[in-house]
């Protein structure tokens, strides 16, 4: 098992290039199943999750080529001349639950899909009931049998109405992808509005899909008979950007992030300002300058409010604040597993009625810690860069799922961070 070793408390500053967004690329890759034309995705980060989904799609008949390989990213050519299998196996789907995003496209293209239930993960049970209800609203027959979602639409999907009882990014994405080829018009209400969904819609519309309401919670999709190919540049990863902004904050230094649009990071930027981090928005970059670390209270919620994917990283930052903060994780039921690990580094965090109460300390002390999930592992990197002495982070396969070239990017701004086998 690889681990990362950080010698903390080093002066850091400089520029970091933000990669393409993992959570935009994954649904965009699934779009390839909807057409037999070529889809070229540019600005794809070199991440484990992208490798995993590539394997899943190849199992369905998608041909995938990496081109223009760069330091830790590339462009991806995907073509699915025909669907060779409509089954997504348990082995593959349990490796990465976003594989459930093949459900809508397989149904739309072939009228059938057999997709394993993803099973839970570290941060929660993560059911897919909303995905299934959305497919039923489009006329699919869906049953669960032996751990698989068995969905059929023998006469094709039909446009329908569906109001999501709760906001779900993945279920919204699956419903959009299923409805673009359905017969008739679909109205989806209480949709998630994450920027990654807007990016998916932008790509589908460029391929000929008829979708209105982008950026709102009500989407109207008029089904078409087929989609063209497209070349699409993936939006920047707002979660990667927010993670690095926390490093500028905790190290009280200036870090400039390139290739990130500020408008998809508005709420985290407003919280960073409340914390006392100076933010300068430039032409194609944002500079974050840590000065003081004031306590703030955070509650996670669907976009455009505070993203749950930045909760662990902001908690690490607040461990060094000059007061007491409260974090209320409202999206996932078990997304506080970084607390015991941060505590091992000397953080002062307690749980009170399911909220995390963080009392800032002057410094943290390096120690061996364990990554438990993707964003928790980034909170340990942030804390490790701040802590005195050495922090060793085990199980960094979690980190490799969502941060491309992390140690290279951090070394470039002066961090002493090494990956060891
Ligand atoms: C996406 O997951 C992201 N993953 C997650 O990022 C992110 O944390 C999450 O959205 C919330 O923003 C990708 O985009 C690949 P949800 P998703 O459906 O779609 C419940 C990361 O770190 N729910 O919006 O799975 C669910 O249990 C990952 O990059 C149901 O009850 O999230 C959760 O409590 C982690 N039934 C809440 O809704 C369903 O059918 C939000 O989940 C679906 C979801």
């Amino acid at each position: 098992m690889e681990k990362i070793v950080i010698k903390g408390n080093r002066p850091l500053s400089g520029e970091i290039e933000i990669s393409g967004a993992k959570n935009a690329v994954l649904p965009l890759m699934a779009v390839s199943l909807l057409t037999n034309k070529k889809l070229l995705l540019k600005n794809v980060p070199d991440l484990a999750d992208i490798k995993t989904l590539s394997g899943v799609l190849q199992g369905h008949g998608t041909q995938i080529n990496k081109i223009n390989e760069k330091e830790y990213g590339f462009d991806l050519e995907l073509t699915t001349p025909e669907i060779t299998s409509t089954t997504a196996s348990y082995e593959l789907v349990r490796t990465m639950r976003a594989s459930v995003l093949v459900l809508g496209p397989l149904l739309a293209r072939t009228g059938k899909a057999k997709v394993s239930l993803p099973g839970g993960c570290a941060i929660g049970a993560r059911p897919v009931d909303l995905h299934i209800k959305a497919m039923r609203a489009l006329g699919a027959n869906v049953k669960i049998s032996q751990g698989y979602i068995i969905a059929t639409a023998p006469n094709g999907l039909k446009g329908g109405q569906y109001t999501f009882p709760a906001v779900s990014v993945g279920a919204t994405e699956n419903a959009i992808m299923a409805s673009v080829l359905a017969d008739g018009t679909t109205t989806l209400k209480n949709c998630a509005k994450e920027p990654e969904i807007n990016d998916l819609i932008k790509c589908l519309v460029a391929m000929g899909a008829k979708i209105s309401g982008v950026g709102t919670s009500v989407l109207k999709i008029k089904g078409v008979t087929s989609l063209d190919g497209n070349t699409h540049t993936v939006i920047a990863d707002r979660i990667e950007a927010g993670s690095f902004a926390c490093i500028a904050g905790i190290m009280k230094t200036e870090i400039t992030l390139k290739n990130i649009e500020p408008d998809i990071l508005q709420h985290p930027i407003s919280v960073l300002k409340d914390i006392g981090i100076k933010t300068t928005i430039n032409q194609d970059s944002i500079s974050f300058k840590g000065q003081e670390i004031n306590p703030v209270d955070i509650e996670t919620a669907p976009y455009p409010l505070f993203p749950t994917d930045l909760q662990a990283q902001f908690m690490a930052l607040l461990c060094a604040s000059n007061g007491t903060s409260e974090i209320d994780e409202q999206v996932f039921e078990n997304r506080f597993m970084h607390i015991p690990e941060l505590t091992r580094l000397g953080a002062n965090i307690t749980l009170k009625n399911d909220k995390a109460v963080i009392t800032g300390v002057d410094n943290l002390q390096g120690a061996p810690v364990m990554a438990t999930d993707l964003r928790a592992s980034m909170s340990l990197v942030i804390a490790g860069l701040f802590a005195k002495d050495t922090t060793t982070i085990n199980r960094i396969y979690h980190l490799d799922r969502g941060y491309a070239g992390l140690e290279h990017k951090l070394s470039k701004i002066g961090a002493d961070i090494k990956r060891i086998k």
Side-chain angles (χ1 to χ4, degrees):
M1 292 257 225
E2 291 187 319
K3 46 183 83 167
I4 273 187
V5 179
I6 297 172
K7 287 194 174 56
N9 203 21
R10 292 283 189 289
L12 306 181
S13 74
E15 274 191 3
I16 298 180
E17 302 258 337
I18 297 300
S19 299
K22 163 178 87 81
N23 291 350
V25 172
L26 295 173
L28 284 165
M29 288 172 71
V31 163
S32 165
L33 296 172
L34 288 167
T35 175
N36 59 10
K37 304 289 190 313
K38 180 160 74 174
L39 174 61
L40 174 58
L41 299 178
K42 300 175 80 73
N43 191 32
V44 176
D46 184 6
L47 294 170
D49 273 9
I50 279 127
K51 225 175 258 119
T52 305
L53 189 59
S54 296
V56 172
L57 292 174
Q58 284 162 336
H60 295 303
T62 306
Q63 296 154 7
I64 301 181
N65 299 313
K66 264 190 215 176
I67 56 174
N68 302 334
E69 294 200 54
K70 302 180 196 62
E71 216 171 352
Y72 15 80
F74 41 76
D75 296 344
L76 213 47
E77 266 180 355
L78 302 102
T79 311
T80 312
E82 57 170 336
I83 302 284
T84 55
S85 159
T86 56
T87 298
S89 73
Y90 174 62
E91 286 63 39
L92 283 169
V93 177
R94 78 191 168 103
T95 314
M96 190 197 55
R97 48 173 291 99
S99 313
V100 75
L101 291 173
V102 303
L103 174 65
L106 287 175
L107 260 181
R109 180 94 180 264
T110 69
K112 58 183 182 169
K114 180 180 174 188
V115 177
S116 169
L117 285 168
C121 77
I123 62 178
R126 310 218 33 206
V128 288
D129 55 314
L130 302 181
H131 298 243
I132 291 167
K133 286 174 185 153
M135 296 306 119
R136 286 184 175 136
L138 296 170
N141 308 314
V142 186
K143 65 180 180 11
I144 306 287
S145 163
Q146 295 170 321
Y148 277 82
I149 302 166
I150 317 266
T152 56
N155 309 315
L157 294 173
K158 300 273 176 284
Q161 317 277 333
Y162 185 61
T163 300
F164 288 99
V167 174
S168 162
V169 171
T172 301
E173 291 166 344
N174 244 331
I176 292 169
M177 291 191 281
S179 62
V180 293
L181 296 179
D183 175 14
T185 300
T186 297
T187 303
L188 300 172
K189 291 183 178 168
N190 199 26
C191 297
K193 301 182 282 188
E194 269 64 5
E196 294 75 29
I197 292 178
N198 300 345
D199 206 40
L200 171 65
I201 292 171
K202 181 180 168 191
C203 181
L204 285 167
V205 167
M207 296 166 78
K210 302 256 181 288
I211 306 173
S212 61
V214 64
T216 77
S217 57
V218 178
L219 295 174
K220 264 200 181 11
I221 302 113
K222 193 175 177 324
V224 293
T225 48
S226 66
L227 294 178
D228 297 330
N230 190 25
T231 295
H232 179 83
T233 299
V234 176
I235 53 163
D237 192 326
R238 61 195 167 100
I239 304 303
E240 185 191 23
S243 305
F244 290 133
C246 289
I247 295 175
I250 203 168
M251 300 307 289
K252 296 189 177 160
T253 185
E254 179 157 25
I255 297 177
T256 297
L257 304 180
K258 293 185 70 62
N259 312 329
I260 175 77
E261 307 87 9
D263 57 335
I264 61 175
L265 208 56
Q266 264 172 16
H267 193 79
I269 286 176
S270 69
V271 176
L272 289 164
K273 284 180 179 166
D274 294 345
I275 292 172
I277 293 156
K278 185 171 177 296
T279 305
T280 311
I281 296 186
N282 318 306
Q283 182 60 27
D284 68 345
S285 67
I286 311 176
S287 297
F288 294 98
K289 189 171 185 325
Q291 299 163 132
E292 51 189 348
I293 308 172
N294 303 309
V296 293
D297 294 342
I298 288 172
E299 178 178 315
T300 64
Y303 194 88
L305 299 177
F306 193 91
T308 173
D309 289 354
L310 281 176
Q311 178 257 109
Q313 300 90 315
F314 272 67
M315 187 183 291
L317 166 58
L318 292 169
C319 288
S321 84
N322 54 37
T324 297
S325 310
E326 268 195 14
I327 295 186
D328 190 358
E329 170 56 59
Q330 282 291 323
V331 176
F332 287 106
E333 65 268 29
N334 183 33
R335 204 170 196 177
F336 276 161
M337 284 168 305
H338 38 287
I339 293 179
E341 300 307 311
L342 291 169
T343 307
R344 284 180 51 74
L345 299 173
N348 179 349
I349 310 172
T350 56
L351 271 180
K352 205 172 72 182
N353 320 323
D354 284 346
K355 288 182 189 173
V357 179
I358 305 107
T359 303
V361 292
D362 292 337
N363 52 55
L364 297 175
Q365 196 59 36
V369 287
M370 189 174 75
T372 50
D373 58 271
L374 168 54
R375 305 303 172 182
S377 44
M378 190 58 190
S379 78
L380 299 177
V381 169
I382 295 165
L385 290 168
F386 173 70
K388 296 189 181 337
D389 301 332
T390 301
T391 296
T392 303
I393 303 174
N394 296 288
R395 299 193 181 176
I396 53 159
Y397 57 85
H398 290 292
L399 206 58
D400 296 337
R401 292 191 46 214
Y403 290 92
L406 183 68
E407 61 265 37
H408 302 289
K409 292 184 178 180
L410 293 178
S411 303
K412 269 193 212 158
I413 62 169
D416 182 337
I417 177 169
K418 290 190 179 42
R419 177 183 291 252
I420 56 173
K421 302 278 178 220

